[in-house]
Amino acid sequence: MKSLKNHFSLILALFSILFAIQIFIINDRALEAYEQKLSSSYSMIVVSNVAISNDTFKTYSSNIEKVDILSADEIIKKLQENISQKNIELLKLSLPKFYRIHLKTFPTSYEVESLTKTLKKNSSITRVEDFSSNHDTVYKLLLLFKQITQLFTLVILLVTVLLIAKELRIWQFKHSERMNIMGLFGAPVWLRSAVLFRLALIDALIASFMAIFFFYGISMSTWTADQLSVIGIDITIFEWLSDGSILLGVAVLISILLASLIVVGYKEEV
Amino acid sequence: MDKVIIAEELTLSYNKDETIINQANFSVDSGSFTFITGASGSGKSTLLKSLYGAIKPKQGSLVVGGAQIKNISSKKLNFLRQHIGIVFQDYKLIKEWTIEKNVMLPLIIGGFQKSVSEQQVHKLLSHVKLNHQSGKYPLELSGGEQQRVAMARALSHNPILILADEPTGNLDDYSAELIWNLLEGANTQLKTTIIVVTHHIPENMKIPYKHLHIEFGTIYEVS
C-alpha cells in the first residue's frame, strides 16, 4: 500500500506537469486563433489625394496583407439628384481616394503607431485612421490574458518541481536500500538502477496516458465545443499525435532525469 | 594451502583521528572456517566490511581472492563480490521481492539462465526448509526464516567465501542451530571458506576452526 502511495505521488506530480503544459498549449492555440480572428477584423483606413497602388502600400510594411479601395459611389449617389452629370464627373475626379488596409497579423500598439507614421510620411496621404484607442484596449486585454496564462503555468510548474524534489528524496531512501543490497552481491550500477528506471518509465507512461485520456475526453465534450463557439474560435483542444508525443516525451524525460539523479546521488552504505 | 585472505600491516579507520584496526597481520586458508570475536565496538564488523571492499585499507595491504582491496576498481570489486556470499544480522533482504527472487539475486547478477537459477533456488530453499514459502515476501516470515533465506542467498552462487556478520545475533536457539548447521555444511560439503563475526562461538562446533580475536585494534589468533 505504501509502495502504491509512493507510485501515486510521482504519477500525480508528473500528471500536474503534463496538465500545466497542455493547458499552456491549448491557451497558446486559442490565443493564436483569437489573434487571427482579431487581425481579420482589424483594418486601417487611409485617405489619399492620389491613387496609390497595392505594391506601393506593401513597401510600407511587410505585415500588410491586402488593400481594398473604398468606393465613393455611395456618397456620389446621394448627391446625384442635385448635381449635373458633368459636375459629378468633376467631383469624382476631385474626391480623395479611400483605402482599407488589412494586416496579416494582429499588430502591437507599437506596430500600429509605426505604420501610421510611415504612411503619413507620404505627402499625398492626408489622413490615416488606425482606430488606435479601440485597438489598444483589445490588444492590452490580450496581452494581459497571455501573461496571466504564462504566470499560471509557471506557478504550476514551480509547485510540481518542488513536489518532484520531495519525491526524489523519498525514492532515494526507498531505492538506495535495494541498490545497496544488490551492490553487496556485485551488481553493476546499470543492473542496480534497472529497477529504478523501469519503475520511473512505468510511472511516466501511466501519467502521460492519464493526461492524454483526460484531454481527449475534454476535446470530445460538447461543453468545450460550446464554450469555443461562444468566443468564436475554432481550435483543436488535443491533437493525438503531436500533443500526445509532447506529453509522453516530457513525462519520460522527467522520470529518467529523476532516476538518473538518484543513481548519481547514490552512495554505498558503509 | 591456498590463502583466500592475506592481510599485512592492515590499518582500518573511518576518519583521520580514530584507528579501528591497527597494523594487523593475518591470513585465512581456502576452505577453512574462521571466527572473529571481540567486544562491541572492537572493529569486528569493520574488518568484515573491509573483506568485501566496503571499507578500503588506510594503510597496509589486504588481498581477498587475489584482489588487492586498497586500490581495487569498482568493476573488479563487483567481480569479487560476485564470488562472495554475505549474511548479515539484519538479513538485508529486498522487501519488495519474493523469497524466491531474493535467493535468486546473486544468480541474476551472475547472468545465469533462468531455468538453472530456478532449479538452484528450489534446491536451496528445500535445503533451508522454506520451499513452501518461496512466493512470500520477507516481512511475512519470522526472523529465523528470514535468516535462512539470507543463508540460501549467500550459498546460491557457490561462492568461494561466505562472510557472516553475527548471523545468529537476533535468532532463537532453534533457528541459530539451523544456521550453524548450514554454515558447517557449506564448509564441509562445498569446501566454502567461511568467516563468521560473532560474540560467542557455539560450544558444539563439530569442525575445526580458526579463531581471531580483536582487542583495542589489534588482532590476535587464539589457539
Side-chain angles (χ1 to χ4, degrees):
Chain A
M1 191 65 196
K2 203 178 168 188
S3 161
L4 199 73
K5 196 181 155 195
N6 285 343
H7 263 281
F8 186 70
S9 52
L10 179 67
I11 291 170
L12 195 73
L14 283 172
F15 180 78
S16 310
I17 288 187
L18 302 183
F19 181 82
I21 289 170
Q22 189 57 30
I23 289 290
F24 183 76
I25 291 172
I26 293 169
N27 267 301
D28 198 48
R29 216 170 266 159
L31 283 170
E32 204 178 307
Y34 190 60
E35 254 186 86
Q36 200 59 43
K37 190 185 166 217
L38 286 176
S39 110
S40 63
S41 61
Y42 177 78
S43 60
M44 295 169 86
I45 303 293
V46 172
V47 184
S48 170
N49 289 331
V50 294
I52 303 173
S53 71
N54 266 9
D55 290 341
T56 311
F57 269 114
K58 282 184 179 176
T59 59
Y60 295 133
S61 167
S62 56
N63 200 19
I64 293 176
E65 190 178 29
K66 63 171 185 170
V67 181
D68 294 332
I69 300 169
L70 298 175
S71 168
D73 290 353
E74 285 294 315
I75 304 162
I76 292 166
K77 208 171 157 184
K78 284 180 186 171
L79 303 170
Q80 247 172 352
E81 289 170 12
N82 307 322
I83 303 171
S84 68
Q85 193 58 37
K86 191 185 165 188
N87 284 343
I88 281 175
E89 290 305 319
L90 279 171
L91 186 65
K92 269 186 182 178
L93 288 172
S94 60
L95 267 178
K97 310 287 180 249
F98 294 86
Y99 298 96
R100 184 187 293 276
I101 298 176
H102 297 275
L103 301 175
K104 286 176 190 164
T105 57
F106 191 62
T108 63
S109 299
Y110 172 76
E111 281 169 341
V112 170
E113 197 184 326
S114 168
L115 183 58
T116 307
K117 275 183 185 168
T118 311
L119 288 166
K120 279 182 176 170
K121 277 180 189 166
N122 185 330
S123 55
S124 57
I125 292 175
T126 56
R127 191 171 164 79
V128 176
E129 182 50 71
D130 54 18
F131 306 104
S132 59
S133 92
N134 188 32
H135 167 274
D136 276 4
T137 315
V138 176
Y139 182 72
K140 278 170 186 163
L141 206 66
L142 192 73
L143 214 61
L144 181 75
F145 189 61
K146 259 185 176 176
Q147 281 165 352
I148 287 173
T149 307
Q150 281 165 356
L151 192 73
F152 165 75
T153 311
L154 198 75
V155 168
I156 288 193
L157 285 177
L158 201 72
V159 170
T160 321
V161 164
L162 291 175
L163 266 174
I164 294 268
K166 185 176 166 268
E167 198 58 26
L168 179 78
R169 281 197 289 275
I170 294 170
W171 273 46
Q172 236 159 7
F173 175 73
K174 189 172 165 273
H175 293 283
S176 65
E177 191 187 7
R178 189 193 57 247
M179 287 166 80
N180 199 46
I181 294 169
M182 290 178 85
L184 290 172
F185 286 87
V189 174
W190 68 265
L191 189 61
R192 285 180 227 178
S193 337
V195 181
L196 182 66
F197 278 99
R198 199 176 65 222
L199 287 173
L201 275 176
I202 289 171
D203 286 2
L205 287 177
I206 294 172
S208 47
F209 285 134
M210 272 170 63
I212 286 169
F213 286 117
F214 177 77
F215 283 106
Y216 177 71
I218 285 187
S219 72
M220 286 291 120
S221 95
T222 49
W223 180 85
T224 316
D226 289 347
Q227 297 306 307
L228 289 174
S229 71
V230 166
I231 50 172
I233 54 169
D234 180 27
I235 57 157
T236 313
I237 292 278
F238 186 76
E239 283 175 12
W240 270 104
L241 199 65
S242 61
D243 293 357
S245 307
I246 290 172
L247 297 186
L248 187 67
V250 168
V252 168
L253 198 76
I254 291 172
S255 57
I256 294 287
L257 186 74
L258 179 69
S260 305
L261 284 173
I262 293 169
V263 173
V264 169
Y266 164 76
K267 276 185 189 148
E268 189 177 79
E269 190 187 304
V270 178
Chain B
M1 194 173 270
D2 290 341
K3 305 282 184 197
V4 176
I5 296 163
I6 304 165
E8 287 170 350
E9 302 294 311
L10 174 68
T11 300
L12 300 172
S13 72
Y14 289 104
N15 52 51
K16 283 178 186 174
D17 308 323
E18 198 184 4
T19 301
I20 310 289
I21 300 290
N22 193 20
Q23 297 181 320
N25 292 289
F26 67 93
S27 64
V28 174
D29 293 336
S30 174
S32 66
F33 199 116
T34 306
F35 283 106
I36 300 171
T37 59
S40 295
S42 61
K44 304 185 297 290
S45 297
T46 305
L47 178 63
L48 201 77
K49 282 174 185 173
S50 74
L51 299 180
Y52 59 85
I55 297 169
K56 301 279 168 69
K58 189 184 172 193
Q59 279 170 12
S61 156
L62 176 64
V63 177
V64 180
Q68 177 60 259
I69 297 294
K70 197 170 186 175
N71 39 30
I72 193 168
S73 66
S74 58
K75 198 178 172 183
K76 277 188 179 167
L77 183 61
N78 283 338
F79 183 76
L80 174 68
R81 285 180 180 182
Q82 285 172 22
H83 294 86
I84 297 177
I86 314 176
V87 182
F88 295 92
Q89 188 178 8
D90 59 353
Y91 330 123
K92 293 212 187 299
L93 298 174
I94 298 173
K95 292 182 199 82
E96 58 269 30
W97 286 11
T98 61
I99 299 310
E100 187 182 25
K101 201 174 174 187
N102 266 288
V103 177
M104 209 183 276
L105 175 66
L107 301 168
I108 295 170
I109 294 166
F112 286 81
Q113 271 189 344
K114 204 181 174 191
S115 57
V116 176
S117 304
E118 279 173 352
Q119 212 177 347
Q120 172 76 340
V121 168
H122 289 143
K123 197 177 93 183
L124 281 163
L125 283 177
S126 338
H127 190 56
V128 297
K129 298 177 179 64
L130 285 172
N131 215 5
H132 59 294
Q133 311 266 40
S134 64
K136 286 191 174 174
Y137 290 88
L139 295 180
E140 294 175 306
L141 304 185
S142 69
E145 288 171 327
Q146 288 189 58
Q147 195 59 298
R148 274 144 65 195
V149 174
M151 270 304 303
R153 179 180 64 182
L155 291 165
S156 66
H157 51 309
N158 297 324
I160 55 161
L161 172 67
I162 288 182
L163 304 173
D165 191 1
E166 303 198 29
T168 57
N170 286 339
L171 307 183
D172 57 69
D173 291 347
Y174 170 74
S175 299
E177 197 182 332
L178 269 175
I179 296 300
W180 289 123
N181 288 339
L182 286 166
L183 288 167
E184 281 183 24
N187 181 247
T188 53
Q189 289 157 35
L190 306 170
K191 305 292 173 210
T192 310
T193 311
I194 314 272
I195 297 178
V196 181
V197 162
T198 185
H199 278 290
H200 307 287
I201 298 173
E203 288 168 5
N204 54 349
M205 280 295 288
K206 301 173 203 86
I207 54 169
Y209 60 85
K210 186 176 185 175
H211 180 192
L212 298 175
H213 184 74
I214 306 175
E215 204 170 301
F216 304 116
T218 307
I219 299 179
Y220 306 95
E221 184 169 349
V222 183
S223 50

